Amino acid sequence: MCYNMAQILAAGLDGLTGFAVTEAFTVLASSCLVFLVIRSFRTRVPKGLKPPPGPRALPFIGNVLDLKNPHLSLTAMGRRYGDVFQVQIGSRTVVVLSGIHTLRQALVKQADDFAGRPDLPSFRYISDGNSLAFGNDYSDVWRARRKLAQSALRTFSADECKNSTHSCVLEEHTCKEAQQLVEVLLERAEGFDPVRYIVISVANVICAMCFGKRYSHDDQKLLEVVNLTDEFGKVAGAGNLSDFIPVLRFIPNPTMAAFLEANKKFMSFLKSIVNEHYQTFDKDNIRDITDSLIEHCQDKKMDENANIQVSDEKIINIVNDLFGAGFDTITTGLSWAVMYLVLYPDLQKRLQDEIDEKIGKDRSPRLSDRSRLPYTDAFILETFRYSSFLPFTIPHCTTKDTALNGYFIPKNTCVFVNQWQVNHDEKLWTDPFTFNPDRFLNADGASINKMESEKVLLFGMGKRRCIGESIGRIEVFLFFTTLVQQLHFDNIPGQEIDTTPIYGLTMKHKKCEFRAVSRFASKSSK
């Protein structure tokens, strides 16, 4: 995640109208003086190393005005300054990393050095500062909680279903919701906004996994939760300039107010569900992930290495992390994939032919079909690469003084990881700005080139890799394959599709509507 600082700066400075002009300029002048004093006390660089290069910064605001489209502007700066450079955002120095070899060196080979999170004030409000994803804790407690969350996810996304033809609970829920989504889209012959309906289906999967229940597409409670998470994404993606310019915290900030309200309402929603689970908990009938976490706490299980117990209060925070990990990313990826089906009808036909040949029309796709559908898999990979809808990871932070590519990076330095640059690097990809799934196929066209697929960055890497990656990949495959098998997607005549992304925590495409028609003359038995 990165920040569209130019837009936020404009909004923040508009807020100064509430101050007297003299007071405003006094505050600004004082801040500039403090900024210059701080800049004068630079960290001493060890012999043999040098500080990262970067553009000259303005007093008080730093390089904010250069970051109108962060994924593009920071990629352009990387071409000039290299894979390790620094920018100034307000009073905070931010090191930007790009280039796949540099990222692997930092996040995998020097993983502990770059595994922190910056202590941004807005992050402290997410899960009361105890979020696995956003929290700045990197300790034995954090590792124990992450291990517990991974174990709960694995139980419901890997273990075999009882009395079911599906391979796991996740597959069962996803296949049911994918079929329901097909039926909902067919009812809207005049056209539909793909995001509007995909988001409900995806939310239902994670609700079933975490809470043991699903909702109808018109359920007001679920729609409210969806709207809250959408608001969170907009605010978190836009960022909050007061995180970087402390004086702005004294100015009324509608963006921050909306952010706090969204967090408050969503945590209240989760608390009510977790409390219901405590009241109906039965250790002999573990219904979902929340039950699994409660069981852990009630049995007072300890992490075998750290000997740390996870408290009941942390249950809600872990559920919050798991819900977020399995929600917005999947929705955004699927909506881009549907858009590309419409934009490239020849590729849509090729996908349908592959699915017809390998699966047919008499049963729904399963996860076990994945190895038999190389072009479908390649199309999904190219959707991830080409859209790069997660252009940056959530910011990292150095946990100690370290060095990378000959540059000295002090402890507690905020670090941006530029995934968009890697996914469009001309040194890695032939024609990176062309949508071409074939780039991921081996010469025989019958399998995925593993080396090429591993170059795509979407879920991060290393110690802070997205905890929901496994369920995300499974859900995208099952939803997408079911949609392509049963539906044909078309553009609405006269509508121009604008693929310019809307910048945010995840980059979404602009609102548009498509049409879907059944590929089957009569409905097959599923």
Side-chain angles (χ1 to χ4, degrees):
M1 181 179 69
C2 191
Y3 298 85
N4 193 335
M5 290 300 172
Q7 294 179 3
I8 305 163
L9 177 66
L13 294 181
D14 284 345
L16 289 174
T17 55
F19 282 83
V21 174
T22 301
E23 291 175 317
F25 277 102
T26 299
V27 170
L28 182 62
S30 301
S31 299
C32 289
L33 180 60
V34 172
F35 173 81
L36 292 172
V37 171
I38 292 174
R39 291 276 287 176
S40 67
F41 292 99
R42 290 182 176 274
T43 303
R44 183 168 297 178
V45 178
K47 187 176 181 180
L49 299 174
K50 52 188 176 181
R56 184 180 297 275
L58 295 173
F60 183 59
I61 63 174
N63 301 110
V64 165
L65 299 180
D66 298 325
L67 304 181
K68 185 175 182 181
N69 291 298
H71 62 298
L72 301 179
S73 56
L74 292 178
T75 296
M77 288 182 192
R79 295 191 192 101
R80 179 177 179 182
Y81 297 109
D83 289 344
V84 181
F85 68 93
Q86 63 184 19
V87 294
Q88 198 74 23
I89 302 179
S91 60
R92 187 184 289 265
T93 297
V94 176
V95 169
V96 182
L97 304 183
S98 54
I100 193 166
H101 299 298
T102 295
L103 296 190
R104 285 174 177 166
Q105 178 64 37
L107 304 181
V108 179
K109 296 180 181 179
Q110 296 177 228
D112 287 334
D113 296 6
F114 291 88
R117 290 281 190 239
D119 186 19
L120 301 180
S122 60
F123 283 11
R124 298 172 196 164
Y125 295 104
I126 304 172
S127 293
D128 300 322
N130 291 303
S131 169
L132 284 173
F134 291 88
N136 70 331
D137 178 34
Y138 180 65
S139 63
D140 288 342
V141 173
W142 178 86
R143 281 183 280 272
R145 291 173 56 215
R146 183 177 172 91
K147 181 177 178 180
L148 173 59
Q150 288 174 321
S151 176
L153 271 182
R154 194 178 303 114
T155 298
F156 291 90
S157 63
D159 287 2
E160 185 176 350
C161 286
K162 298 177 181 178
N163 304 318
S164 174
T165 59
H166 297 85
S167 62
C168 63
V169 175
L170 175 60
E171 182 183 76
E172 181 177 25
H173 288 312
T174 304
C175 288
K176 288 180 180 178
E177 292 301 331
Q179 184 58 45
Q180 178 68 23
L181 178 59
V182 167
E183 295 171 5
V184 168
L185 297 183
L186 285 175
E187 292 172 357
R188 286 149 181 83
E190 72 284 356
F192 60 87
D193 172 8
V195 176
R196 163 67 178 82
Y197 298 102
I198 289 173
V199 71
I200 299 297
S201 295
V202 171
N204 261 325
V205 173
I206 198 63
C207 283
M209 294 276 289
C210 288
F211 313 138
K213 62 193 301 184
R214 74 174 301 278
Y215 301 81
S216 73
H217 277 251
D218 297 320
D219 188 281
Q220 290 303 310
K221 192 171 185 179
L222 182 60
L223 289 173
E224 182 179 350
V225 172
V226 167
N227 290 334
L228 286 175
T229 54
D230 186 54
E231 185 67 28
F232 172 85
K234 290 177 181 177
V235 175
N240 178 24
L241 196 56
S242 63
D243 281 340
F244 298 86
I245 304 178
V247 69
L248 295 181
R249 296 172 199 166
F250 300 100
I251 299 173
N253 188 334
T255 299
M256 189 60 180
F259 179 79
L260 296 177
E261 186 65 18
N263 272 285
K264 181 180 178 180
K265 288 183 177 179
F266 189 66
M267 289 301 290
S268 176
F269 167 78
L270 291 181
K271 286 178 182 178
S272 66
I273 290 181
V274 172
N275 286 337
E276 289 176 9
H277 274 65
Y278 268 104
Q279 294 170 11
T280 59
F281 177 76
D282 179 0
K283 65 179 182 179
D284 296 322
N285 179 29
I286 303 302
R287 300 162 293 184
D288 48 44
I289 287 175
T290 302
D291 272 356
S292 178
L293 295 172
I294 292 173
E295 179 190 32
H296 171 92
C297 289
Q298 292 198 347
D299 287 351
K300 301 185 184 302
K301 294 178 181 176
M302 302 289 186
D303 179 87
E304 60 184 8
N305 295 317
N307 195 34
I308 291 172
Q309 183 182 352
V310 179
S311 65
D312 288 346
E313 295 82 38
K314 297 296 189 295
I315 293 291
I316 296 172
N317 298 325
I318 293 176
V319 172
N320 188 14
D321 280 304
L322 295 179
F323 192 92
F327 183 73
D328 191 47
T329 300
I330 299 167
T331 298
T332 307
L334 283 169
S335 65
W336 278 109
V338 170
M339 172 174 277
Y340 294 143
L341 289 176
V342 174
L343 285 172
Y344 306 106
D346 292 345
L347 304 188
Q348 183 176 182
K349 177 64 166 58
R350 185 171 168 185
L351 287 165
Q352 291 165 346
D353 289 344
E354 179 181 69
I355 293 171
D356 288 349
E357 178 185 349
K358 300 297 177 58
I359 298 179
K361 302 178 181 179
D362 296 330
R363 68 171 179 85
S364 296
R366 296 286 187 268
L367 187 58
S368 57
D369 295 315
R370 187 173 178 180
S371 62
R372 303 167 60 232
L373 301 172
Y375 189 73
T376 302
D377 211 5
F379 190 97
I380 293 171
L381 283 168
E382 182 68 343
T383 296
F384 290 167
R385 185 202 69 81
Y386 189 72
S387 65
S388 290
F389 59 85
L390 281 168
F392 296 88
T393 67
I394 298 169
H396 286 241
C397 183
T398 49
T399 59
K400 63 180 181 180
D401 290 352
T402 189
L404 182 65
N405 292 9
Y407 296 111
F408 175 67
I409 305 176
K411 181 180 179 180
N412 293 328
T413 298
C414 181
V415 178
F416 286 175
V417 176
N418 193 344
Q419 299 190 130
W420 192 93
Q421 182 276 333
V422 172
N423 291 336
H424 296 84
D425 190 345
E426 294 179 351
K427 297 176 183 177
L428 290 181
W429 311 100
T430 302
D431 298 325
F433 295 96
T434 298
F435 189 88
N436 177 23
D438 284 293
R439 70 174 77 246
F440 292 106
L441 297 177
N442 285 317
D444 60 4
S447 60
I448 293 292
N449 185 312
K450 186 177 180 181
M451 289 184 63
E452 291 297 301
S453 68
E454 291 177 349
K455 294 191 301 187
V456 178
L457 289 189
L458 189 74
F459 300 96
M461 59 173 67
K463 298 292 180 72
R464 291 283 187 170
R465 195 179 187 107
C466 177
I467 196 171
E469 178 179 0
S470 60
I471 65 172
R473 291 185 184 276
I474 290 172
E475 284 192 60
V476 169
F477 174 80
L478 291 172
F479 268 112
F480 181 71
T481 309
T482 300
L483 292 174
V484 174
Q485 180 200 42
Q486 299 192 42
L487 302 175
H488 182 82
F489 294 90
D490 281 316
N491 191 18
I492 293 177
Q495 175 183 241
E496 293 187 7
I497 300 176
D498 185 354
T499 60
T500 305
I502 301 171
Y503 193 84
L505 181 61
T506 55
M507 294 201 301
K508 296 175 171 59
H509 57 72
K510 295 179 180 178
K511 187 173 181 179
C512 55
E513 293 193 347
F514 303 131
R515 295 185 305 185
V517 296
S518 174
R519 297 186 60 233
F520 304 154
S522 59
K523 191 172 181 179
S524 301
S525 175
K526 298 292 167 191

